[in-house]
């Protein structure tokens, strides 16, 4: 059995920006502390939610280095290291390891895409370049390519490929992965609206967007399930479904950053080409935040409707 990187909630943390779009490191430190205090079991830095696509390599590595220094081993720091260029993914893997990351997240190659054999070769090259454990990231809606269960099985035979963030939304596929790979590949949900369903198929947690807002409650969805209280886990999953849906009214992390600003976190804007939601969408988001008593104003004027 391979060692698990974490069990529970890994927060895919935002990268806070100043108004000039430079990284706001002091706010980043505050967010890391908030996540740890809120029960996050791991932190994913420079993932999709962290706007990795618009970070320079220098910013990317410094962000990892900064997180490692600040977290000081309290929870694992997982570094986004994926690329659609295998040589670049290898480079990022080596640099993130030097920066002190505890594990790596590698997304499937996007845009140029590849065959299943190409996926196998790509991830194998990444794995050979580092001693760190690797989480594969399957999100066909963004990349246009899916890791098939048979390919997962081949990849799980590589010692340091230890887990997958499955965001295909295909439960038949998740079940097949669990059946084929068993203890050789830990499954994490990549979708906040499917945490309990993934846990029911043997998943060990979630790599989460939602937990940027409510780490304690997202953590509780997992822990209540692990403790055998499946009814409570299901209740919490459904309780926060509307909030989860609101966070995906536009491309992630646009709604998330707007929600966090409404909650009083100085996370700043997204870098272009991501821009603010239009007013209609934003009003829908803010209405949901009010319903959950999450905005600064609502905390002073409403009681918890739940």
């Amino acid at each position: 059995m391979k060692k698990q990187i974490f069990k529970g909630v890994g927060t895919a943390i935002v990268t806070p920006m100043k108004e000039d779009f430079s990284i706001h490191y002091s706010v980043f430190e505050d967010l890391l502390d908030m996540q740890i205090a809120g029960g996050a079991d791991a932190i994913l830095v420079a993932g999709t939610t962290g706007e990795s696509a618009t970070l320079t390599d220098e910013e990317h590595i410094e962000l990892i280095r900064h997180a490692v220094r600040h977290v000081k081993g309290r929870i694992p720091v997982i570094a986004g290291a994926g690329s659609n260029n295998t040589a670049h993914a290898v480079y990022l893997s080596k640099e993130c390891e030097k920066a002190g990351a505890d594990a790596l997240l590698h997304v499937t190659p996007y845009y140029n895409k590849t065959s299943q054999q190409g996926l196998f070769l790509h991830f194998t090259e990444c794995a050979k370049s580092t001693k760190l454990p690797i989480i594969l990231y399957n999100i066909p809606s963004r990349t246009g390519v899916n890791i098939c269960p048979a390919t997962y099985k081949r990849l799980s035979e590589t010692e340091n490929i230890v887990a997958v963030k499955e965001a295909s939304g295909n439960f038949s596929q998740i079940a097949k992965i669990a059946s084929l790979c068993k203890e050789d590949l830990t499954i994490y949900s990549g979708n906040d609206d499917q945490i309990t369903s993934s846990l029911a198929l043997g998943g060990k947690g979630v790599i989460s967007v939602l937990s940027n807002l409510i780490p304690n409650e997202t953590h509780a969805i997992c822990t209540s399930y692990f403790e055998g209280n499946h009814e409570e886990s299901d209740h919490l999953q459904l309780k926060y479904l509307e909030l989860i849906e609101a966070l995906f009214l536009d491309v992630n992390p646009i709604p998330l950053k707007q929600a966090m600003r409404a909650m009083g976190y100085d996370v700043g804007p997204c870098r272009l080409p991501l821009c603010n939601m239009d007013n209609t969408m934003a009003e829908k988001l803010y209405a949901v935040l009010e319903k959950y008593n999450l905005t600064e104003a609502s905390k002073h004027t409403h009681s918890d409707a739940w």
Side-chain angles (χ1 to χ4, degrees):
M1 180 178 176
K2 294 177 180 177
K3 185 179 179 181
Q4 287 180 17
I5 299 166
F6 72 95
K7 183 179 181 181
V9 176
T11 299
I13 198 165
V14 298
T15 301
M17 304 285 182
K18 299 178 181 178
E19 289 305 311
D20 65 359
F21 299 103
S22 62
I23 297 173
H24 204 323
Y25 283 105
S26 63
V27 174
F28 184 56
E29 292 175 0
D30 292 341
L31 295 179
L32 291 169
D33 289 336
M34 184 268 282
Q35 286 298 317
I36 294 169
D41 300 285
I43 293 286
L44 169 63
V45 181
T48 305
T49 306
E51 298 178 74
S52 59
T54 57
L55 299 177
T56 66
D57 284 353
E58 292 76 14
E59 289 174 322
H60 191 129
I61 303 307
E62 179 53 33
L63 197 64
I64 305 302
R65 192 179 292 119
H66 203 95
V68 169
R69 280 199 304 260
H70 191 76
V71 170
K72 295 179 180 175
R74 288 176 284 175
I75 57 175
V77 174
I78 304 163
S83 175
N84 63 336
N85 173 354
T86 304
H88 187 226
V90 165
Y91 167 77
L92 287 175
S93 298
K94 292 177 177 178
E95 291 301 312
C96 289
E97 183 171 12
K98 290 177 189 174
D102 297 292
L104 305 174
L105 182 79
H106 273 287
V107 71
T108 54
Y110 38 87
Y111 188 70
N112 49 358
K113 301 163 63 175
T114 187
S115 64
Q116 294 299 302
Q117 176 65 5
L119 287 174
F120 175 77
L121 294 172
H122 170 82
F123 288 128
T124 301
E125 283 299 308
C126 293
K128 287 194 304 188
S129 72
T130 178
K131 294 178 181 178
L132 293 181
I134 289 174
I135 305 172
L136 307 176
Y137 182 17
N138 192 39
I139 181 163
S141 63
R142 277 190 184 260
T143 65
V145 61
N146 178 58
I147 309 174
C148 294
T151 305
Y152 273 122
K153 173 59 176 170
R154 293 178 70 195
L155 288 165
S156 72
E157 293 166 4
T158 298
E159 184 179 359
N160 62 330
I161 294 178
V162 303
V164 56
K165 178 186 178 184
E166 246 298 326
S168 67
N170 183 339
F171 287 112
S172 296
Q173 170 156 303
I174 294 171
K176 189 68 173 177
I177 297 163
S179 174
L180 286 174
C181 301
K182 299 181 174 61
E183 302 299 324
D184 286 333
L185 204 66
T186 298
I187 297 172
Y188 299 116
S189 176
N191 296 320
D192 283 310
D193 60 347
Q194 298 176 342
I195 301 171
T196 54
S197 304
S198 178
L199 296 177
L201 289 170
K204 300 303 180 186
V206 61
I207 295 178
S208 176
V209 173
L210 175 67
S211 56
N212 279 275
L213 304 186
I214 48 170
N216 255 312
E217 293 83 348
T218 313
H219 180 77
I221 294 173
C222 295
T223 54
S224 57
Y225 188 92
F226 298 145
E227 291 167 358
N229 193 346
H230 299 173
E231 187 175 339
E232 175 65 10
S233 182
D234 289 341
H235 166 72
L236 291 170
Q237 176 76 86
L238 296 176
K239 174 179 176 178
Y240 292 106
L241 185 60
E242 189 176 1
L243 178 59
I244 293 164
E245 291 172 342
L247 292 177
F248 292 90
L249 286 168
D250 205 333
V251 177
N252 179 48
I254 293 169
L256 175 60
K257 274 197 160 180
Q258 289 194 226
M260 293 184 77
R261 292 199 299 271
M263 291 172 68
Y265 297 108
D266 187 17
V267 296
C270 293
R271 287 182 176 175
L272 288 170
L274 301 187
C275 61
N276 282 340
M277 307 163 76
D278 65 42
N279 288 338
T280 302
M281 288 288 193
E283 286 171 8
K284 289 181 181 178
L285 173 66
Y286 299 145
V288 173
L289 293 175
E290 288 279 342
K291 181 175 180 179
Y292 286 87
N293 194 26
L294 288 175
T295 65
E296 285 192 300
S298 68
K299 289 174 183 176
H300 297 295
T301 58
H302 300 294
S303 61
D304 190 347
W306 299 96

